[in-house]
Amino acid sequence: GENVEQHPSTLSVQEGDSAVIKCTYSDSASNYFPWYKQELGKGPQLIIDIRSNVGEKKDQRIAVTLNKTAKHFSLHITETQPEDSAVYFCAASRPGGGNKLTFGTGTQLKVEL
Amino acid sequence: NAGVTQTPKFQVLKTGQSMTLQCAQDMNHNSMYWYRQDPGMGLRLIYYSASEGTTDKGEVPNGYNVSRLNKREFSLRLESAAPSQTSVYFCASSEQGPPTDTQYFGPGTRLTVL
């Protein structure tokens, strides 16, 4: 089955700096790659996603890039703010099979003032 | 719209006790999912229901059973709880197929088994 690895497990940046979180996946048939943000005591919330027919997608300060050949994708957050502090999860799924997601192990992002 | 709701929010059980975690969604989604979240291990799929009337095992189904009661509700049952089932449980729902296959998560149930 699919295996998703995520790095780093913790990331500390200064407010205003950029943050990058990287994930690799093992199943070449995977074609959907969402990123979730989880605040303390809450459920994960989708912040951005990308499909395999696209190499990059941006939404304001957040961007995701996908390299299908290397089977890795990354989350980029620019101009970080204290409210960006949370745990971020990448995930992957393949067509069919009920849209099952395989998650990475998460990155604790801390934005320091 | 409440989205995905879960009850209870917190639960403490003794080893061997049973309980059912409830999940409901009001988004008319076809698919529903149960995950568990453990420190350092991300979210792992326990069971899912691609559509009303169907259920399938995920990555870690042992010790659990599920019921898709109707399109809105998907429950998770622990027949004989074990300390290894101490975790935070999340329910999620989605439509099937792009571009509407985003999974929406509930607030979670924090379960402790003593």
Side-chain angles (χ1 to χ4, degrees):
Chain A
E2 175 71 280
N3 182 48
V4 178
E5 295 191 356
Q6 183 173 347
H7 300 280
S9 57
T10 61
L11 179 59
S12 185
V13 300
Q14 294 292 315
E15 183 180 7
D17 287 350
S18 295
V20 179
I21 303 170
K22 299 182 178 182
C23 289
T24 60
Y25 62 98
S26 61
D27 188 348
S28 57
S30 290
N31 68 343
Y32 176 60
F33 307 93
W35 285 89
Y36 284 83
K37 176 183 181 182
Q38 185 178 26
E39 297 177 339
L40 195 62
K42 297 185 178 180
Q45 185 173 21
L46 180 78
I47 55 171
I48 195 167
D49 58 12
I50 192 167
R51 299 185 190 276
S52 58
N53 57 345
V54 175
E56 182 177 2
K57 184 176 179 180
K58 294 181 74 173
D59 183 4
Q60 300 183 340
R61 296 186 298 109
I62 293 174
V64 57
T65 58
L66 171 65
N67 183 326
K68 281 191 65 180
T69 302
K71 288 190 281 188
H72 67 70
F73 56 113
S74 300
L75 177 71
H76 304 253
I77 306 174
T78 59
E79 300 173 21
T80 53
Q81 301 168 2
E83 52 265 38
D84 294 329
S85 295
V87 179
Y88 292 81
F89 292 96
C90 63
S93 74
R94 59 181 296 163
N99 187 30
K100 293 182 293 182
L101 290 175
T102 301
F103 282 84
T105 51
T107 297
Q108 175 75 60
L109 174 64
K110 183 177 181 181
V111 180
E112 299 177 334
L113 298 172
Chain B
N1 275 355
V4 179
T5 56
Q6 293 183 235
T7 56
K9 284 184 168 51
F10 301 92
Q11 184 70 48
V12 179
L13 294 177
K14 295 181 180 178
T15 297
Q17 288 185 318
S18 62
M19 80 161 294
T20 299
L21 282 65
Q22 306 287 354
C23 174
Q25 53 92 8
D26 62 2
M27 296 174 282
N28 202 36
H29 286 163
N30 284 314
S31 302
M32 298 185 73
Y33 312 83
W34 276 105
Y35 293 89
R36 60 178 290 173
Q37 183 176 31
D38 302 294
M41 300 189 74
L43 291 99
R44 292 181 293 168
L45 184 65
I46 304 171
Y47 270 93
Y48 69 102
S49 172
S51 61
E52 187 178 356
T54 68
T55 60
D56 287 286
K57 295 179 180 179
E59 181 185 354
V60 288
N62 290 347
Y64 305 95
N65 285 300
V66 290
S67 295
R68 184 72 183 267
L69 305 170
N70 47 56
K71 192 172 186 180
R72 290 187 63 247
E73 299 172 289
F74 188 37
S75 63
L76 178 71
R77 183 161 178 83
L78 287 71
E79 290 290 352
S80 179
S84 60
Q85 294 178 306
T86 293
S87 189
V88 182
Y89 292 86
F90 289 100
C91 177
S93 71
S94 77
E95 268 302 344
Q96 286 190 28
T100 58
D101 48 4
T102 299
Q103 288 193 21
Y104 295 87
F105 284 79
T109 294
R110 187 173 296 273
L111 175 66
T112 301
V113 183
L114 301 175

